[in-house]
Amino acid sequence: MGQNTQLTFQASLNQDIITDFPSQPGVEREASDWPVIQARAAITKKSQRDGIDDATLGFSGHIGETGFDFNAVGPPPQNLPPQDDTRFETWSFNSDLYLPVTGSFGLQGEFFYGSNLSAYLGGIGQGVCPCRRVPIRSIGGWGEMWYRWTPKFRNHFGYGVDDPNENDSLFGRSYNQFIFING
């Protein structure tokens, strides 16, 4: 897209490692019949100033499904009957930004919104509600400021949140936030 602008497109076909219900009696995890499709498009603008990194804005997402055999009656309060070959869609929309402001200071972060995100570390590790047998939607992300003190040392200061939709689950974790500082 010109001498100072680059467009990147990435795509992949994958098989999820299903993290839900690892030891719950009466629930068997199984692979879906089609792969998870993941893709990302990003635009990178090369810096015109010496010592400043390139800025990047990206958009990504995925779509696929996870599968389970519920061989026993579900937990209370709904006590759903056994179900074979149950499939749940997993999907997400994501954006990411890397924005150097000066040679020593910059911002970066990511945003996500999706459903059944446990395999992608979203939804606070929850993908499907065991009581209702529905995918759990979640929204969140993180942002940070970084400062480069020397060529070999930099600090990052940030905040993040993961907020599963409480209407999709009868119990479990419903909100996670964190603050971090590292070097």
Side-chain angles (χ1 to χ4, degrees), residues 61-98:
H62 84 278
I63 189 165
E65 67 180 15
T66 56
F68 302 93
D69 288 336
F70 295 98
N71 298 320
V73 173
Q78 294 191 321
N79 301 318
L80 295 174
Q83 288 177 292
D84 190 36
D85 296 327
T86 307
R87 297 290 183 259
F88 299 99
E89 189 174 81
T90 174
W91 63 270
S92 71
F93 170 77
N94 318 285
S95 61
D96 59 271
L97 174 68
Y98 180 77

Side-chain angles (χ1 to χ4, degrees), residues 35-131:
V36 175
I37 301 166
Q38 297 179 343
R40 178 177 181 265
I43 188 164
T44 301
K45 182 75 172 164
K46 295 196 181 294
S47 174
Q48 301 300 307
R49 298 179 285 168
D50 289 337
I52 298 181
D53 296 337
D54 301 339
T56 301
L57 174 64
F59 296 95
S60 60
H62 84 278
I63 189 165
E65 67 180 15
T66 56
F68 302 93
D69 288 336
F70 295 98
N71 298 320
V73 173
Q78 294 191 321
N79 301 318
L80 295 174
Q83 288 177 292
D84 190 36
D85 296 327
T86 307
R87 297 290 183 259
F88 299 99
E89 189 174 81
T90 174
W91 63 270
S92 71
F93 170 77
N94 318 285
S95 61
D96 59 271
L97 174 68
Y98 180 77
L99 182 62
V101 178
T102 70
S104 299
F105 173 75
L107 306 168
Q108 65 184 13
E110 295 184 9
F111 164 82
F112 72 88
Y113 178 68
S115 179
N116 191 5
L117 299 175
S118 59
Y120 303 91
L121 304 178
I124 317 176
Q126 304 165 109
V128 175
C129 173
C131 292

Side-chain angles (χ1 to χ4, degrees), residues 119-162:
Y120 303 91
L121 304 178
I124 317 176
Q126 304 165 109
V128 175
C129 173
C131 292
R132 299 184 63 219
R133 295 184 189 162
V134 298
I136 299 171
R137 295 168 290 169
S138 190
I139 188 169
W142 60 271
E144 71 175 24
M145 298 181 301
W146 55 264
Y147 189 80
R148 184 178 300 138
W149 299 94
T150 71
K152 294 186 178 186
F153 183 75
R154 133 184 351 197
N155 278 112
H156 297 257
F157 310 91
Y159 171 79
V161 65
D162 188 350

